[in-house]
Amino acid sequence: MTNNLFFKISLFLLAFFAGFSNAFSEEAICRLTMCGENFGINPAPNIFKTRGETLRVYVKYGDLVQIAECDASGVTVSIGQKRGLTADPCDTYVEITVLPGSNAPERNDVTITLFGRDLVGSRTKTCSFKINIRYAVPSVSSISVKKNGAALPNNELIAGVTYQMTVIGTNVDRLNFFGYESQNHMLSLTKRPNATPSAVVFDVRFDNGVVFDITYWYDDRICGLGVTTFRLANAHGISDGVELLDDGLQGKYAVDYTGCAGGRRDKAVSNRRTLERVREQIPNPVPNNQSLVTAREITWPDIKWGVKNIGRATTTTFTIELRDGNTVLQRQTINGLAKNENKLFFFTRPKSLKKLYRTHLCQDQHLYLHRDINTVEAYQWSDPAKFTIVIDVANAVEEVNEDNNIGEY
């Protein structure tokens, strides 16, 4: 009789504890929050290596969770605050802090599992959720600005000149410096290829002002981190730069083969001021005299060319050249140039005589080549199809724009 009673009691207890354990079968998560943001099943929250984050798991029986496990190595999971005894089971929560170490794998869908215990101490699975483990949070250790590898004298920048900005740190290739160019006093910013997690180089052109800080942000959303500024070791002043340009070319002689009065006439062409000077050497044709032309031997004006500085003053000595193709026709040395100053020079050809005429048969303002051009040796010369002016031949002057130092005419 006693044995039978004991047997019945044992069956009752087993059934009771089995039913109690079943009551703690896996529950559906009501919601998951981190940094004030709600997460569902997808997308999973991103957690960055070496940076712990606390997730609040709203789930029935969350206040009874005693064990938290992760299926990835190198990840520490701990249990924090809880809330229970709520009218709504979905208001019950447990806080879980997840800290991936530096050796944790970078992968998606890492599983965190939460357990409680039944009355006999056995583990009962409460719920599970996914996280994504990301790289270590980027950090900047230094930012330097140089010109072709050379340090800047007095930390001075010149507006419009291209410099190299190097960012050193951890996972800095994950940082984004775009979108804050104006705040950083930048005119342009270009990321060079071959960036590494420890170093990124940008080609940058600055605007006027003073640069104390460089502002950037993170490619991925990271709790508590947003737009960040890095204080440079030294403030960099930005001033107007030197900007040398050719000052144009006048006096080039060319021929336009055109028709006039039923025949071919070869017209001398050049810039307006040069033609005016030549025209002054040839009298006007007499109106209404159809056969009359006025012809004269004239001296064609020299080539006028030069350089101007539309930027700040420079005391640096530099050279300029007038060329016919690769042949240097004239070279000039300039010992500095003030702001808005120009220097003009004249190139005299080996020959400069021409015989031209004006006629009332055509537009009397035009200058036509006399037939003697073909027989008189002194008249037989021509200018190159293209003159080239090269400014700052040896790149002695640091300019705002080094790409506009060649002019062709």
Side-chain angles (χ1 to χ4, degrees):
M1 181 68 179
T2 302
N3 290 338
N4 188 39
L5 178 61
F6 178 78
F7 178 73
K8 290 180 179 180
I9 293 173
S10 299
L11 289 177
F12 171 78
L13 291 175
L14 288 173
F16 174 80
F17 288 126
F20 192 81
S21 296
N22 290 335
F24 286 91
S25 59
E26 184 170 0
E27 301 291 341
I29 293 176
C30 300
R31 66 183 187 276
L32 181 67
T33 65
M34 186 180 76
C35 302
E37 182 177 351
N38 291 322
F39 292 87
I41 301 303
N42 288 303
N46 293 328
I47 299 183
F48 294 81
K49 293 166 69 171
T50 72
R51 181 181 175 87
E53 300 293 355
T54 297
L55 300 95
R56 180 171 288 183
V57 186
Y58 289 85
V59 62
K60 187 177 180 181
Y61 304 126
D63 58 323
L64 300 180
V65 169
Q66 298 183 38
I67 302 168
E69 293 181 347
C70 178
D71 69 350
S73 61
V75 180
T76 300
V77 184
S78 58
I79 299 170
Q81 293 183 351
K82 304 175 185 178
R83 183 174 72 179
L85 301 176
T86 59
D88 184 352
C90 281
D91 287 338
T92 300
Y93 68 75
V94 58
E95 291 185 348
I96 304 297
T97 299
V98 181
L99 175 60
S102 59
N103 60 338
E106 293 182 28
R107 65 180 176 88
N108 294 336
D109 296 329
V110 173
T111 301
I112 305 293
T113 306
L114 307 182
F115 299 90
R117 290 193 183 277
D118 60 20
L119 294 179
V120 295
S122 299
R123 301 198 322 175
T124 58
K125 183 177 180 181
T126 304
C127 65
S128 64
F129 58 90
K130 303 288 188 180
I131 64 168
N132 301 323
I133 299 179
R134 294 287 184 258
Y135 49 88
V137 174
S139 62
V140 176
S141 58
S142 69
I143 297 179
S144 62
V145 180
K146 295 183 178 181
K147 174 67 173 176
N148 298 326
L152 305 177
N154 302 316
N155 296 307
E156 183 181 13
L157 297 166
I158 297 175
V161 171
T162 300
Y163 297 93
Q164 291 73 50
M165 182 178 76
T166 302
V167 182
I168 302 295
T170 301
N171 287 329
V172 290
D173 56 332
R174 307 270 190 172
L175 296 176
N176 199 324
F177 289 81
F178 298 97
Y180 290 89
E181 287 88 341
S182 60
Q183 185 169 326
N184 293 332
H185 296 283
M186 295 175 180
L187 293 171
S188 65
L189 182 69
T190 304
K191 187 176 182 179
R192 287 190 172 187
N194 303 321
T196 67
S198 60
V200 180
V201 180
F202 297 87
D203 287 320
V204 57
R205 294 166 55 242
F206 290 95
D207 200 355
N208 287 320
V210 179
V211 179
F212 293 98
D213 304 308
I214 298 296
T215 300
Y216 59 89
W217 52 288
Y218 299 88
D219 273 346
D220 291 298
R221 183 179 182 277
I222 304 175
C223 283
L225 298 179
V227 177
T228 304
T229 58
F230 184 87
R231 176 58 56 96
L232 298 176
N234 298 289
H236 289 66
I238 309 170
S239 59
D240 289 331
V242 180
E243 181 63 5
L244 303 177
L245 299 171
D246 74 82
D247 202 14
L249 182 142
Q250 298 184 36
K252 180 180 178 179
Y253 170 84
V255 177
D256 178 18
Y257 301 97
T258 185
C260 174
R264 168 174 165 159
R265 297 179 188 270
D266 300 334
K267 180 175 67 176
V269 294
S270 188
N271 60 286
R272 181 179 61 83
R273 179 60 186 135
T274 297
L275 292 176
E276 289 174 352
R277 292 178 59 192
V278 173
R279 197 178 295 116
E280 291 170 354
Q281 303 178 57
I282 304 174
N284 288 329
V286 178
N288 301 321
N289 187 335
Q290 298 297 310
S291 62
L292 184 63
V293 298
T294 52
R296 293 288 188 276
E297 180 182 88
I298 59 94
T299 299
W300 194 268
D302 293 339
I303 294 292
K304 182 180 179 182
W305 67 292
V307 60
K308 60 184 177 182
N309 179 14
I310 63 172
R312 71 170 182 175
T314 178
T315 58
T316 303
T317 298
F318 62 96
T319 58
I320 62 174
E321 291 179 350
L322 177 67
R323 298 178 182 176
D324 171 11
N326 293 324
T327 302
V328 177
L329 302 176
Q330 191 175 50
R331 178 183 291 115
Q332 297 289 343
T333 299
I334 314 296
N335 295 316
L337 210 56
K339 182 176 182 177
N340 296 324
E341 183 183 9
N342 70 334
K343 295 285 187 182
L344 297 176
F345 304 94
F346 293 89
F347 168 69
T348 301
R349 306 171 184 83
K351 296 180 181 180
S352 58
L353 295 178
K354 286 291 182 185
K355 191 170 185 179
L356 305 175
Y357 69 90
R358 297 166 64 184
T359 176
H360 193 62
L361 294 174
C362 305
Q363 296 186 44
D364 57 12
Q365 297 300 307
H366 289 174
L367 303 171
Y368 298 98
L369 278 62
H370 193 273
R371 60 179 176 273
D372 290 347
I373 290 281
N374 299 318
T375 57
V376 178
E377 193 272 340
Y379 303 152
Q380 294 176 6
W381 61 268
S382 61
D383 275 341
K386 181 189 298 180
F387 283 104
T388 301
I389 298 175
V390 182
I391 303 300
D392 191 16
V393 175
N395 287 324
V397 180
E398 186 175 58
E399 299 180 65
V400 171
N401 186 357
E402 300 284 2
D403 297 328
N404 58 359
N405 284 352
I406 297 178
E408 297 179 336
Y409 299 90

